[in-house]
DNA sequence: TCCCAGGGCATCA
DNA sequence: TGATGCCATGGG
C-alpha cells in the first residue's frame, strides 16, 4: 500500500530546522516524536488513530499518512491542525523588520530565521497544560503531562512506538482527584483540571464559544471567571491556542528572565519598562514572547539563572 | 539546604 | 487594589 501524501504550500520565511529544534528542545513532549528531518504524531479519526509524518520538501510541507489511508475529512482536519500548529499562514517579514529596530534583540531575526510560533491547536490541551505548568519547573510539568496522557489518552502502535492523542475532556471529567494526586497533581490542580474538563464536556466552555465572544477583553474575562484560570493562564491559552497576537502571559517567569537577560528590564517588577518595550511590538507581542522564550535555551542565558528581584 | 519554577487563590488591610 | 501566605514538589 502506497502511503497517502498531501502537500501544503509554505510561503515566506519558514525553517523546518528551527521548528524541529523548538519541538525537540530540552523537554519531553509526549504528543509527538521528532526525528532528524521530521515530526511524527498521532491524530484522532473516526476509525482510530492516524500516524502522520510531517516534513519539508523544497517549497512545501508534506504530510504522509503512515498507517492508514485517510478520508477526505481526515485530510482536511490534519491539514488544518498542522497549519495552525506550525503557524504556516503568517508572513514573518514585518515581524523581522520590527525586530531590527531594537539592537538588543535584533539578532533573533537572523539567529532563529524562519522559526514559526508553535501553537497548541487543541484548546482543552492548552488549558490543561497551563494548569499543569503553573508554578512548577518545565521538566516536571512535562513529566506530569506524560503521566496524564499515558493514563487517560488513547494510543496506537506504529513501528514499535506508541502514538497518543490527548485525553478527551469527557474522560478527564470523570477522573477522581485521588487518581490525579497519584500522578503528582496537587489537590488544587486536580480540582481545576476536573472542573475545566467538565466545562468542556458539558459544552459551557469551548474554543468556538470563546471565538464567538465580541472581543479579547470579554474572552479574558470569561476565562478568568473559571477557577484555576488567572491572567497568566488566560493569556497563555489565548496566545497558544486562539493565536491572539497581542496576548502576553504577564508575569511569566521565563519571559521575565529573558527580558532581564537582554537588559530590557533591570528588575522583574519593572512594569513600566516592560510596557514601554512591548508597546513597540504592537500586533506581534506573542511572536516576540515566543522568540524570547527561544533565547532561554541559549547556553549563555541558561548558565545565568537569575535571582528574583 | 535553599530557592526557584512558563501561578492562582484566599485573606486581610 | 495590592501585599502576603499557602499550595506542591522537582531540579539546580
Amino acid at each position: 500500500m502506497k502511503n497517502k501524501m498531501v502537500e501544503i504550500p509554505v510561503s515566506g520565511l519558514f525553517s523546518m530546522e528551527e521548528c524541529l529544534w523548538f519541538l525537540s528542545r530540552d523537554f519531553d513532549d509526549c504528543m509527538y516524536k521528532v526525528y532528524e528531518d521530521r515530526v511524527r504524531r498521532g491524530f484522532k479519526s473516526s476509525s482510530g488513530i492516524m500516524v502522520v509524518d510531517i516534513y519539508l520538501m523544497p517549497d512545501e510541507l508534506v504530510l504522509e499518512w503512515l498507517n492508514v489511508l485517510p478520508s477526505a475529512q481526515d485530510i482536511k482536519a490534519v491539514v488544518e491542525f498542522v497549519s495552525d500548529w506550525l503557524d504556516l499562514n503568517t508572513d514573518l517579514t514585518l515581524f523581522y523588520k520590527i525586530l531590527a529596530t531594537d539592537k538588543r534583540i535584533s539578532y533573533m531575526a537572523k539567529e532563529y530565521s524562519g522559526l514559526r510560533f508553535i501553537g497548541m491547536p487543541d484548546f482543552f490541551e492548552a488549558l490543561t497544560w497551563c494548569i499543569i505548568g503553573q508554578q512548577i519547573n518545565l521538566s516536571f510539568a512535562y513529566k506530569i503531562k506524560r503521566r496524564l496522557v499515558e493514563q487517560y489518552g488513547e494510543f496506537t502502535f506504529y513501528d514499535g512506538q506508541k502514538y497518543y492523542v490527548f485525553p478527551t475532556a469527557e474522560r478527564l471529567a470523570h477522573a477522581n482527584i485521588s487518581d490525579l494526586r497519584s500522578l503528582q497533581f496537587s489537590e488544587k490542580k486536580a480540582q481545576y483540571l476536573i472542573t475545566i474538563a467538565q466545562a468542556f464536556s458539558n459544552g459551557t466552555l469551548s474554543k468556538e464559544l470563546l471565538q464567538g465572544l465580541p472581543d479579547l477583553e470579554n474572552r479574558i474575562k470569561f476565562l478568568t471567571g473559571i477557577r484555576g484560570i488567572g491572567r497568566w493562564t488566560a493569556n497563555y491559552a489565548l496566545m497558544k491556542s486562539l493565536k491572539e497576537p497581542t496576548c502576553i502571559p504577564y508575569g511569566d517567569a521565563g519571559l521575565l528572565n529573558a527580558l532581564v537577560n537582554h537588559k530590557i528590564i533591570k528588575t522583574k517588577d519593572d512594569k513600566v519598562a516592560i510596557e514601554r518595550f512591548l508597546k513597540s511590538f504592537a500586533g506581534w507581542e506573542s511572536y516576540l514572547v515566543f522568540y524570547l522564550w527561544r533565547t532561554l535555551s541559549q547556553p549563555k542565558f541558561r548558565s545565568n539563572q537569575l535571582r528574583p528581584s
Side-chain angles (χ1 to χ4, degrees):
Chain A
M1 181 176 77
K2 192 172 182 297
N3 288 343
K4 174 67 181 176
M5 292 162 79
V6 171
E7 292 84 31
I8 311 178
V10 178
S11 56
L13 292 162
F14 176 83
S15 167
M16 191 67 187
E17 197 180 344
E18 281 297 328
C19 293
L20 288 177
W21 186 91
F22 188 86
L23 287 169
S24 64
R25 53 201 207 289
D26 302 321
F27 305 110
D28 169 37
D29 196 309
C30 54
M31 301 309 298
Y32 52 80
K33 297 186 196 307
V34 176
Y35 296 91
E36 196 175 344
D37 66 335
R38 63 193 60 208
V39 55
R40 181 176 294 173
R41 72 179 290 165
F43 295 89
K44 180 75 180 156
S45 82
S46 54
S47 55
I49 294 172
M50 313 176 278
V51 181
V52 180
D53 261 2
I54 302 154
Y55 53 92
L56 189 69
M57 294 301 271
D59 291 314
E60 57 200 13
L61 203 63
V62 179
L63 308 181
E64 182 176 348
W65 274 256
L66 302 175
N67 63 336
V68 291
L69 281 176
S71 67
Q73 195 180 353
D74 292 335
I75 293 171
K76 183 169 179 285
V78 174
V79 167
E80 279 177 8
F81 184 99
V82 172
S83 300
D84 198 4
W85 183 30
L86 304 182
D87 200 38
L88 298 180
N89 298 317
T90 296
D91 183 353
L92 296 175
T93 314
L94 183 57
F95 175 53
Y96 288 172
K97 273 185 186 166
I98 303 175
L99 275 184
T101 63
D102 191 321
K103 285 182 182 170
R104 297 167 295 188
I105 53 171
S106 56
Y107 76 92
M108 296 197 301
K110 188 178 176 192
E111 191 90 8
Y112 313 137
S113 180
L115 171 65
R116 298 299 177 107
F117 183 100
I118 309 294
M120 207 174 275
D122 181 341
F123 189 45
F124 176 58
E125 180 187 343
L127 281 176
T128 302
W129 174 235
C130 287
I131 300 296
I132 292 172
Q134 288 169 4
Q135 195 57 18
I136 57 174
N137 67 69
L138 270 183
S139 46
F140 183 45
Y142 276 103
K143 277 185 192 169
I144 295 183
K145 181 180 179 183
R146 176 174 283 283
R147 288 176 195 157
L148 183 78
V149 170
E150 290 181 348
Q151 181 76 31
Y152 295 98
E154 205 180 323
F155 68 91
T156 191
F157 270 108
Y158 178 79
D159 198 20
Q161 302 275 347
K162 282 180 178 175
Y163 290 87
Y164 284 91
V165 291
F166 198 75
T168 62
E170 289 70 26
R171 182 84 200 277
L172 288 177
H174 292 98
N176 295 317
I177 287 180
S178 58
D179 294 339
L180 295 176
R181 290 283 293 135
S182 69
L183 305 181
Q184 283 184 286
F185 276 74
S186 69
E187 183 86 14
K188 280 183 181 172
K189 286 188 180 184
Q191 287 170 359
Y192 298 157
L193 175 54
I194 292 170
T195 301
I196 288 168
Q198 287 171 341
F200 271 91
S201 183
N202 65 27
T204 53
L205 175 58
S206 71
K207 194 169 183 174
E208 294 70 26
L209 193 149
L210 243 77
Q211 284 167 327
L213 293 176
D215 53 33
L216 187 56
E217 193 184 338
N218 275 282
R219 288 192 263 281
I220 289 177
K221 198 174 170 185
F222 184 91
L223 284 174
T224 52
I226 298 166
R227 284 181 66 83
I229 300 181
R231 205 163 70 122
W232 177 85
T233 298
N235 278 297
Y236 183 98
L238 288 169
M239 178 183 87
K240 286 286 271 188
S241 198
L242 274 76
K243 297 290 186 69
E244 294 277 6
T246 62
C247 277
I248 300 159
Y250 290 96
D252 178 87
L255 172 60
L256 294 175
N257 281 335
L259 291 173
V260 176
N261 287 339
H262 288 83
K263 298 183 171 43
I264 291 159
I265 55 173
K266 286 190 178 125
T267 59
K268 293 184 184 181
D269 57 359
D270 191 350
K271 291 177 184 170
V272 177
I274 296 171
E275 279 301 325
R276 191 170 55 229
F277 171 69
L278 293 173
K279 210 174 174 181
S280 51
F281 291 88
W284 291 93
E285 290 94 331
S286 59
Y287 249 97
L288 179 65
V289 170
F290 187 73
Y291 270 55
L292 284 168
W293 279 336
R294 169 66 180 87
T295 68
L296 295 171
S297 297
Q298 289 197 177
K300 66 176 176 178
F301 292 138
R302 293 179 65 162
S303 58
N304 181 27
Q305 286 305 306
L306 298 153
R307 304 267 73 83
S309 58

